[in-house]
Amino acid sequence: MMKFRERPIQIVLVIITLVMTIFRFLLNENGRVSPDSIRYLRFAHNLPVIDNTTTPLGYPLAIRFFTFFGLDEFWGSKAIGIMAFLFIIIFTWRKKFFFRESVILCSLFSFLSIFSFTMSEALTLPFAFLFLYVSALIIEGKLERRNAIFYLTLSLIALYNVRYSSLFIIGGTGLFGLVFYKRKYASPFIISGIIGGTFVVLYKFLFIDYFNENYVNEALEIGLHPTSRLLIELLQGLCTSFNPFIHISDPGGGIINYAIYGIGFINILAIVYVFIKYRLTETETFLHFCRGNRHYLFLFHTVFLFSQRYRLPAAGSFQPSGMAGVFQEIISGPFA
């Protein structure tokens, strides 16, 4: 069987991903900017004046930081995406934390689109990796007591300051500790979840309400729809989230959405099959509690859990095992 050197392939894949990320916004007619992106750019431009609380401070502050180096807000947002990608690659390589899987993950079209998009997801990803890394150290017993609580709480607060949806991750962290309260590592997750929840409450009363008292009511009004519609949107959202190639459906509808939902649904079935056939480790179980409501954490746990079952080949060679073995097992397993 033909063997390939793995390291050169990884280097080439990283370079191609970086170049395609740049081309993704250079060749896009809108520069990968949406109406929500304009809100971020305006927020960053007006700092230190706070003109809205629709978004947390983290991403606008990061954009503002890059303007001190001669970039405007638009190019500052693109620099954040590129730096986020490079951070993930360098961090996982130095820490030996799912480096191979991270290279594959970041090269997927969904992640490439995130890095090129002027949205807070790009800044969320590095903090999400740090959060998963700290959590894994705690579960493995390599980080204990005060240090565990401090770093886990810090990562949760950092995530929330970039995206409000990280509230679900904070809740999942505390819930994981409560469910496994008899384990040695339970207390850091419980305490960090409580501290993170307290921070969210204080953030709401001391920051959000100060600038916009009606923010929560306005946000809740957006979701006032019949249950039948919400269930359909939930299923569509799950299928889109689990699609590793296309991260958003066409708002205008059409036959393309059936393909997008179909790929995601097949991926869900594949994951369910693997989870039923193989028992999850404690680290894998934790990822289920903290998937949040965005597609990047769904993809995190998809790639990471698959890699736990089918380890990629050792450094120095690349053979058609690893992820390919996963799908071969999924396809042939039920009929073997």
Side-chain angles (χ1 to χ4, degrees), residues 114 117 119-126 162-163 294-296:
I114 289 174
F117 198 16
M119 287 292 283
S120 59
E121 280 92 339
L123 185 61
T124 307
L125 290 174
V162 178
R163 287 195 67 84
R294 297 297 291 177
H295 58 272
Y296 47 80

Side-chain angles (χ1 to χ4, degrees), residues 12-201:
V12 170
L13 191 58
V14 169
I15 294 174
I16 291 176
T17 303
L18 179 61
V19 172
M20 291 304 299
T21 299
I22 297 174
F23 282 167
R24 185 81 170 90
F25 64 79
L26 287 181
L27 300 180
N28 184 269
E29 59 182 4
N30 297 321
R32 294 289 292 159
V33 173
S34 69
D36 288 336
S37 305
I38 301 300
R39 184 184 295 114
Y40 283 115
L41 298 178
R42 185 181 67 245
F43 195 163
H45 181 75
N46 292 332
L47 286 174
V49 177
I50 308 296
D51 66 346
N52 73 85
T53 57
T54 305
T55 63
L57 282 171
Y59 189 57
L61 279 174
I63 295 176
R64 183 69 173 180
F65 171 77
F66 279 97
T67 61
F68 293 120
F69 298 94
L71 301 175
D72 60 17
E73 285 77 14
F74 172 81
W75 288 108
S77 67
K78 302 309 177 185
I80 290 174
I82 294 173
M83 295 295 291
F85 167 68
L86 294 177
F87 173 85
I88 292 172
I89 297 300
I90 295 174
F91 175 80
T92 54
W93 171 61
R94 291 294 301 271
K95 297 297 182 180
K96 296 180 175 59
F97 182 69
F98 293 106
F99 170 67
R100 299 165 182 167
E101 294 80 1
S102 298
V103 172
I104 297 174
L105 196 68
C106 291
S107 65
L108 294 177
F109 182 75
S110 296
F111 277 71
L112 190 148
S113 297
I114 289 174
F115 294 132
S116 62
F117 198 16
T118 300
M119 287 292 283
S120 59
E121 280 92 339
L123 185 61
T124 307
L125 290 174
F127 290 110
F129 267 89
L130 289 172
F131 165 72
L132 294 175
Y133 177 70
V134 170
S135 302
L137 290 181
I138 295 174
I139 293 174
E140 295 170 2
K142 298 178 181 178
L143 195 61
E144 299 178 349
R145 300 178 182 177
R146 294 182 180 179
N147 287 335
I149 297 173
F150 174 77
Y151 287 113
L152 186 58
T153 302
L154 187 64
S155 62
L156 290 174
I157 292 176
L159 281 169
Y160 186 78
N161 274 279
V162 178
R163 287 195 67 84
Y164 288 144
S165 58
S166 299
L167 171 65
F168 296 97
I169 300 178
I170 295 175
T173 300
L175 179 62
F176 177 79
L178 290 174
V179 172
F180 297 95
Y181 68 94
K182 293 183 179 180
R183 306 293 174 84
K184 183 179 180 180
Y185 55 75
S187 58
F189 288 97
I190 296 175
I191 296 174
S192 296
I194 293 174
I195 296 176
T198 303
F199 175 83
V200 171
V201 174

Side-chain angles (χ1 to χ4, degrees), residues 138-306:
I138 295 174
I139 293 174
E140 295 170 2
K142 298 178 181 178
L143 195 61
E144 299 178 349
R145 300 178 182 177
R146 294 182 180 179
N147 287 335
I149 297 173
F150 174 77
Y151 287 113
L152 186 58
T153 302
L154 187 64
S155 62
L156 290 174
I157 292 176
L159 281 169
Y160 186 78
N161 274 279
V162 178
R163 287 195 67 84
Y164 288 144
S165 58
S166 299
L167 171 65
F168 296 97
I169 300 178
I170 295 175
T173 300
L175 179 62
F176 177 79
L178 290 174
V179 172
F180 297 95
Y181 68 94
K182 293 183 179 180
R183 306 293 174 84
K184 183 179 180 180
Y185 55 75
S187 58
F189 288 97
I190 296 175
I191 296 174
S192 296
I194 293 174
I195 296 176
T198 303
F199 175 83
V200 171
V201 174
L202 294 176
Y203 189 94
K204 193 268 182 186
F205 287 108
L206 299 180
F207 178 74
I208 295 179
D209 285 354
Y210 180 81
F211 293 98
N212 184 5
E213 295 181 355
N214 298 320
Y215 172 78
V216 175
N217 293 331
E218 293 172 355
L220 292 176
E221 289 177 359
I222 298 176
L224 293 178
H225 299 294
T227 303
S228 57
R229 176 179 173 181
L230 293 176
L231 288 176
I232 295 175
E233 291 181 352
L234 173 63
L235 179 60
Q236 292 174 342
L238 287 173
C239 292
T240 306
S241 297
F242 276 97
N243 188 320
F245 307 108
I246 302 177
H247 63 287
I248 189 172
S249 59
D250 185 359
I255 193 172
I256 184 63
N257 283 348
Y258 289 100
I260 295 174
Y261 299 145
I263 294 174
F265 184 70
I266 293 174
N267 196 23
I268 292 175
L269 295 179
I271 294 172
V272 171
Y273 170 75
V274 173
F275 289 174
I276 292 176
K277 186 171 182 179
Y278 300 97
R279 183 178 179 180
L280 300 179
T281 66
E282 294 174 339
T283 303
E284 294 169 350
T285 303
F286 170 73
L287 294 179
H288 283 284
F289 282 84
C290 300
R291 288 179 295 184
N293 67 339
R294 297 297 291 177
H295 58 272
Y296 47 80
L297 282 183
F298 282 124
L299 288 174
F300 275 168
H301 101 276
T302 300
V303 174
F304 287 176
L305 296 190
F306 277 170

